[in-house]
């Protein structure tokens, strides 16, 4: 079996992240009946999170993570370690938004699960794809 190229692994990481978060969305919204409504900050209007928003968020986050890894590979020999540390910090910070923005407990739990599932796919897959110089 041929080794997967870094580019192929990264494309799969982004697509896998999108797919995984969509699965969480389907389970929560379709199967459990959670209405994913959020407020970006207190006093803001409620916004509904549909499947298109989930796909777009997964794509943006995945491509940003990929871009950062590619940049670090050009700047340092420790790209994997630096990228992984940044990814863990970004994940930890990203968990604040669902807790503050979720309108109900079900929404908060769903959004937290989406963040964690995205990280569970994206972080190890992109870290393994790091090119060593």
């Amino acid at each position: 079996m041929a080794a997967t190229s870094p580019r192929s692994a990264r494309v799969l990481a982004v697509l896998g992240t999108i797919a995984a978060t969509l699965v969480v969305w389907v389970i929560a919204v379709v199967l459990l009946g959670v209405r994913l409504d959020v407020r970006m900050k207190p006093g803001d209007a409620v916004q509904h999170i549909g499947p298109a928003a989930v796909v777009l968020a997964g794509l943006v986050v995945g491509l940003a993570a990929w871009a950062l890894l590619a940049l670090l590979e050009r700047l340092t020999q420790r790209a994997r370690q630096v990228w992984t540390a940044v990814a863990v910090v970004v994940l930890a910070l990203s968990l604040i938004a669902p807790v503050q923005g979720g309108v109900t407990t079900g929404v908060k739990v769903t959004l937290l699960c989406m963040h964690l599932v995205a990280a569970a796919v994206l972080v190890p897959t992109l870290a393994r794809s790091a090119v060593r110089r």
Side-chain angles (χ1 to χ4, degrees):
M1 178 181 239
T4 304
S5 73
R7 183 178 181 154
S8 296
R10 292 169 189 188
V11 167
L12 290 174
V14 173
L15 294 176
T17 299
I18 293 168
T21 53
L22 271 176
V23 167
V24 173
W25 184 90
V26 167
I27 291 169
V29 173
V30 176
L31 299 178
L32 300 176
V34 174
R35 180 158 170 82
L36 284 181
D37 291 332
V38 298
R39 280 193 171 90
M40 294 303 157
K41 57 185 176 181
D44 280 358
V46 173
Q47 296 178 349
H48 181 71
I49 298 177
V54 174
V55 170
L56 183 60
L59 182 62
V60 168
V61 168
L63 292 177
W66 180 350
L68 177 60
L69 179 57
L71 176 65
L72 288 170
E73 286 172 334
R74 293 175 190 256
L75 298 176
T76 180
Q77 291 184 8
R78 297 179 49 86
R80 176 185 293 185
Q81 294 86 348
V82 172
W83 182 88
T84 302
V86 170
V88 170
V89 169
V90 169
L91 169 62
L93 293 173
S94 82
L95 297 177
I96 296 168
V99 172
Q100 291 181 340
V103 174
T104 67
T105 302
V107 172
K108 292 176 184 187
V109 169
T110 300
L111 293 175
L112 287 169
C113 288
M114 291 171 90
H115 283 234
L116 293 170
V117 164
V121 173
L122 196 59
V123 173
T125 308
L126 284 183
R128 280 193 302 271
S129 78
V131 177
R132 297 182 184 172
R133 293 195 274 159

